[in-house]
Amino acid sequence: MVENRLKGLGVTKKIGIGKAVKLTDSGVVIHKTRITDTEAEVCKFYKVRDLFIEETENLFKDLSQKLDNNEVALIIQSHIAIVNDSQFEEDIKTQIVENKMCLVWAVDVVCSSYIKMFSQIDNEVLSQRALDFEDIRNRLAVIINGNEKSSDNRITISVPNAVLVVKELHPSMTARMDATELLGIVVENGGETSHAAILAKALGIPTVLGVKGACELIEEGDTVVVDGDSGEVIVRPSQEQLKVSDEKRTHLIDSEKELTVYKDKETCTKDGVSVSLYANIGSEEEAVRVNEFNPDGIGLFRTEFLFMNGNNMPIMEEQLLAYKNAVLASGERILTIRTLDIGGDKEVPYLGLEREVNPFLGLRGIRLCLEKEAMFREQIEAILRASAYGCGNVRIMIPLVTNIEEIRAVKGIISSVKETLNATHTAYDENIKVGIMIETPAAVIMADAFAGEVDFFSIGTNDLTQYTMVVDRGNEKVAHLFDTFSPAVLRAIKHVVSVADAAGIEVSMCGEAAADAAMIPVLLGLGLRKFSVASSLILETRRNIASWDVESAIEIATKIMSETSVEEIRRYGSDL
Ligand code: PEP
Ligand code: MG
């Protein structure tokens, strides 16, 4: 009997059971149907081609205005030449007329043959052509599926009760996904703290990552059980397996319901020590939704998803509206807006950034923003103007800081944007607080110096673990080495908390470790009193914090900090 269970990393404590929908890597659905009316399908091709050309021309105009690098814009324009090419047109027509393929299938087959051909050529320039055809295929498919311009850029899963099966879950895919009908996500690659996983968690969709062989074993339409708790994926389950999974699903739903009593409670330890519990959000809409869980504010607003949602950079006014809505949703509570953190696994194709050999060590986070200063200034302006709608509660947070010059450069830009706002008598919060993410070993080591420059720290354990342990956070091959309980990471956290306390500046934690049940007593014991977690984990974290008193937390932290082996620490943790 063929084993129908696959194993991966579960990232949401939920089970979903549904029908498999497979997406290409780009997030585009290729539904393969045989058609009878070939003439109508050929006509559809011409209409779609016209829409594609119109959209590409607009894209070209936008890019030429926004990018210094005109070459990228020219590449985009060359896509028009490709779809207009008579050979391309003939190839598509042949698949439709002779093989009775529907248009999206024909486009996929034709483009795939060009992708294959060009990627085999041992010439850098020509092999790049493969990427052009990938792009063309995806954009044509989006237009065909929606029969509309792809500019709204959302991925709609039209099949009810769908389980999405993909090789890679790009962050932009999760950001663009209309997830209302989605019961689960199975991803062949990816680690727990990859940005795609963070978004899946925020959406509360049962998700399992790093499921080797998933795309091969799972066929379109198969029934699939996605156990985001155990990390198990069951393909074409037997009646018995379905029954067991369904019982577990009901049980998990019941436990989630039990958590609702924590909705209106204050966050504090068993012995009554007050703790601030903030939310991590990725959109203005989430700033509204999260109020249901009554957080003390937003500890991290990942603004990059605003930039990844569309085909164009959001202009200042669009950003202002998004931030303003988040400010209004936050009332008097803290709202920490993190400036653009792209690069690494978060790509924004329209920026036309060059591919890097080591993107996580490359032009990412604040480095990119300082390089693209005009873009950064627009974001700062939008945040400052949005702060006028708050009550001194809006804060700016800078990602991936490694040296003091970056902090000073950012502060210089903020001052200069303030001056331009003053010149036009535009309102903003003059005393807006500026803080940094502590998520690189350099920032940990320099924490005492950085404390003199900023108003607050937020520890980003996802990147801090990645960079301290030299483990790619999205790579399942080394996922076993990605452990925030590693003594090196724990010592880094301890150091940052004590430096911040000594300097009298606020320190919180917004990495995924802040919501880890086993980590919570350690963090409390180290003196951390501000936690920022995915909105779907607020109630669970509130309950976990309430189950510890500070004295026992200190005891646990002291014991754990005396250990030098991660295995010993884990063993001790599991005995608690
Ligand atoms: C982190 O690195 O821990 C963090 C919170 O930021 P992000 O996950 O967005 O990189
Ligand atoms: Mg980070």
Side-chain angles (χ1 to χ4, degrees), residues 275-298:
V275 170
S276 301
L277 184 55
Y278 302 131
N280 294 345
I281 61 164
S283 65
E284 55 184 291
E285 292 87 5
E286 214 184 336
V288 178
R289 281 201 305 271
V290 77
N291 283 337
E292 185 195 341
F293 306 120
N294 197 19
D296 294 301
I298 306 297

Short mmCIF file of all heavy atoms in Angstrom, two decimals, residues 275-298:
data_model
loop_
_atom_site.label_atom_id
_atom_site.label_comp_id
_atom_site.label_asym_id
_atom_site.label_seq_id
_atom_site.Cartn_x
_atom_site.Cartn_y
_atom_site.Cartn_z
N VAL A 275 1.62 42.73 32.10
CA VAL A 275 2.44 42.52 30.90
C VAL A 275 1.71 43.19 29.73
O VAL A 275 0.49 43.13 29.66
CB VAL A 275 2.61 41.00 30.64
CG1 VAL A 275 3.25 40.74 29.28
CG2 VAL A 275 3.43 40.34 31.75
N SER A 276 2.47 43.83 28.84
CA SER A 276 1.82 44.39 27.64
C SER A 276 1.82 43.34 26.55
O SER A 276 2.87 42.73 26.27
CB SER A 276 2.58 45.61 27.13
OG SER A 276 2.63 46.59 28.14
N LEU A 277 0.67 43.14 25.95
CA LEU A 277 0.57 42.16 24.87
C LEU A 277 0.09 42.87 23.61
O LEU A 277 -1.04 43.33 23.52
CB LEU A 277 -0.40 41.05 25.28
CG LEU A 277 -0.55 39.88 24.32
CD1 LEU A 277 0.79 39.24 23.98
CD2 LEU A 277 -1.50 38.83 24.88
N TYR A 278 0.99 42.97 22.66
CA TYR A 278 0.70 43.67 21.40
C TYR A 278 0.47 42.66 20.28
O TYR A 278 0.79 41.48 20.41
CB TYR A 278 1.90 44.56 21.00
CG TYR A 278 2.31 45.59 22.02
CD1 TYR A 278 3.64 45.72 22.40
CD2 TYR A 278 1.37 46.46 22.57
CE1 TYR A 278 4.03 46.68 23.32
CE2 TYR A 278 1.76 47.43 23.50
CZ TYR A 278 3.09 47.53 23.86
OH TYR A 278 3.48 48.48 24.77
N ALA A 279 -0.02 43.20 19.15
CA ALA A 279 -0.26 42.33 17.99
C ALA A 279 0.72 42.65 16.87
O ALA A 279 1.13 43.79 16.71
CB ALA A 279 -1.68 42.56 17.49
N ASN A 280 1.05 41.61 16.11
CA ASN A 280 1.79 41.80 14.86
C ASN A 280 0.77 41.77 13.73
O ASN A 280 -0.02 40.83 13.64
CB ASN A 280 2.75 40.63 14.62
CG ASN A 280 3.87 40.57 15.65
OD1 ASN A 280 4.09 41.52 16.38
ND2 ASN A 280 4.57 39.45 15.70
N ILE A 281 0.77 42.79 12.89
CA ILE A 281 -0.21 42.81 11.80
C ILE A 281 0.49 43.07 10.47
O ILE A 281 1.64 43.52 10.43
CB ILE A 281 -1.30 43.89 12.04
CG1 ILE A 281 -0.68 45.30 12.11
CG2 ILE A 281 -2.11 43.61 13.29
CD1 ILE A 281 -1.69 46.41 11.96
N GLY A 282 -0.24 42.79 9.38
CA GLY A 282 0.35 43.01 8.05
C GLY A 282 -0.49 43.90 7.17
O GLY A 282 -0.19 44.06 5.99
N SER A 283 -1.60 44.44 7.73
CA SER A 283 -2.44 45.29 6.88
C SER A 283 -3.31 46.18 7.77
O SER A 283 -3.50 45.89 8.95
CB SER A 283 -3.36 44.43 6.01
OG SER A 283 -4.27 43.71 6.82
N GLU A 284 -3.87 47.21 7.15
CA GLU A 284 -4.76 48.10 7.89
C GLU A 284 -6.02 47.35 8.33
O GLU A 284 -6.56 47.57 9.40
CB GLU A 284 -5.14 49.31 7.02
CG GLU A 284 -5.74 48.87 5.70
CD GLU A 284 -6.05 50.00 4.73
OE1 GLU A 284 -6.97 50.79 4.98
OE2 GLU A 284 -5.38 50.04 3.71
N GLU A 285 -6.47 46.39 7.47
CA GLU A 285 -7.67 45.61 7.81
C GLU A 285 -7.42 44.80 9.08
O GLU A 285 -8.28 44.65 9.94
CB GLU A 285 -8.06 44.64 6.68
CG GLU A 285 -8.55 45.29 5.41
CD GLU A 285 -7.41 45.65 4.47
OE1 GLU A 285 -6.25 45.30 4.77
OE2 GLU A 285 -7.67 46.30 3.44
N GLU A 286 -6.18 44.27 9.18
CA GLU A 286 -5.87 43.46 10.36
C GLU A 286 -5.87 44.33 11.62
O GLU A 286 -6.18 43.85 12.71
CB GLU A 286 -4.53 42.76 10.17
CG GLU A 286 -4.50 41.38 10.84
CD GLU A 286 -3.14 40.70 10.73
OE1 GLU A 286 -2.36 41.02 9.82
OE2 GLU A 286 -2.86 39.84 11.60
N ALA A 287 -5.53 45.61 11.44
CA ALA A 287 -5.54 46.51 12.60
C ALA A 287 -6.94 46.62 13.18
O ALA A 287 -7.12 46.80 14.39
CB ALA A 287 -5.05 47.90 12.18
N VAL A 288 -7.94 46.47 12.31
CA VAL A 288 -9.33 46.51 12.78
C VAL A 288 -9.70 45.16 13.39
O VAL A 288 -10.20 45.07 14.52
CB VAL A 288 -10.29 46.85 11.61
CG1 VAL A 288 -11.73 46.86 12.07
CG2 VAL A 288 -9.91 48.19 10.99
N ARG A 289 -9.42 44.09 12.62
CA ARG A 289 -9.82 42.73 13.06
C ARG A 289 -9.26 42.37 14.42
O ARG A 289 -9.90 41.74 15.24
CB ARG A 289 -9.34 41.70 12.04
CG ARG A 289 -10.19 41.58 10.81
CD ARG A 289 -9.97 40.23 10.14
NE ARG A 289 -8.59 39.93 9.82
CZ ARG A 289 -8.00 40.27 8.68
NH1 ARG A 289 -8.67 40.93 7.76
NH2 ARG A 289 -6.74 39.95 8.45
N VAL A 290 -8.01 42.81 14.67
CA VAL A 290 -7.30 42.37 15.87
C VAL A 290 -7.96 42.92 17.15
O VAL A 290 -7.79 42.34 18.23
CB VAL A 290 -5.81 42.77 15.76
CG1 VAL A 290 -5.61 44.23 16.05
CG2 VAL A 290 -4.96 41.92 16.64
N ASN A 291 -8.72 43.99 17.01
CA ASN A 291 -9.36 44.57 18.20
C ASN A 291 -10.25 43.56 18.93
O ASN A 291 -10.47 43.67 20.13
CB ASN A 291 -10.18 45.80 17.82
CG ASN A 291 -9.27 46.99 17.59
OD1 ASN A 291 -8.15 47.01 18.10
ND2 ASN A 291 -9.72 47.95 16.81
N GLU A 292 -10.71 42.57 18.17
CA GLU A 292 -11.53 41.50 18.75
C GLU A 292 -10.81 40.84 19.93
O GLU A 292 -11.43 40.33 20.86
CB GLU A 292 -11.77 40.50 17.62
CG GLU A 292 -12.68 39.38 17.98
CD GLU A 292 -12.58 38.24 16.95
OE1 GLU A 292 -12.09 38.48 15.82
OE2 GLU A 292 -12.97 37.13 17.29
N PHE A 293 -9.47 40.81 19.87
CA PHE A 293 -8.70 40.12 20.92
C PHE A 293 -8.17 41.07 21.99
O PHE A 293 -7.40 40.69 22.86
CB PHE A 293 -7.54 39.34 20.30
CG PHE A 293 -7.99 38.41 19.22
CD1 PHE A 293 -7.51 38.54 17.92
CD2 PHE A 293 -8.92 37.41 19.49
CE1 PHE A 293 -7.94 37.70 16.91
CE2 PHE A 293 -9.35 36.56 18.48
CZ PHE A 293 -8.86 36.71 17.19
N ASN A 294 -8.55 42.32 21.86
CA ASN A 294 -8.21 43.31 22.86
C ASN A 294 -6.71 43.40 23.21
O ASN A 294 -6.32 43.30 24.38
CB ASN A 294 -9.03 42.96 24.12
CG ASN A 294 -9.08 44.11 25.08
OD1 ASN A 294 -8.84 45.25 24.69
ND2 ASN A 294 -9.38 43.81 26.34
N PRO A 295 -5.87 43.62 22.21
CA PRO A 295 -4.44 43.75 22.51
C PRO A 295 -4.14 45.13 23.10
O PRO A 295 -4.98 46.02 23.04
CB PRO A 295 -3.78 43.60 21.14
CG PRO A 295 -4.80 44.13 20.19
CD PRO A 295 -6.16 43.84 20.78
N ASP A 296 -2.94 45.29 23.64
CA ASP A 296 -2.56 46.60 24.19
C ASP A 296 -2.07 47.54 23.09
O ASP A 296 -1.62 48.65 23.39
CB ASP A 296 -1.47 46.43 25.25
CG ASP A 296 -2.02 45.68 26.45
OD1 ASP A 296 -2.98 46.16 27.05
OD2 ASP A 296 -1.51 44.58 26.76
N GLY A 297 -2.08 47.08 21.88
CA GLY A 297 -1.64 47.91 20.77
C GLY A 297 -1.05 47.04 19.68
O GLY A 297 -1.18 45.81 19.70
N ILE A 298 -0.40 47.70 18.73
CA ILE A 298 0.26 46.98 17.64
C ILE A 298 1.77 47.12 17.87
O ILE A 298 2.30 48.24 17.86
CB ILE A 298 -0.11 47.60 16.26
CG1 ILE A 298 -1.64 47.69 16.06
CG2 ILE A 298 0.56 46.84 15.13
CD1 ILE A 298 -2.39 46.40 16.03
#
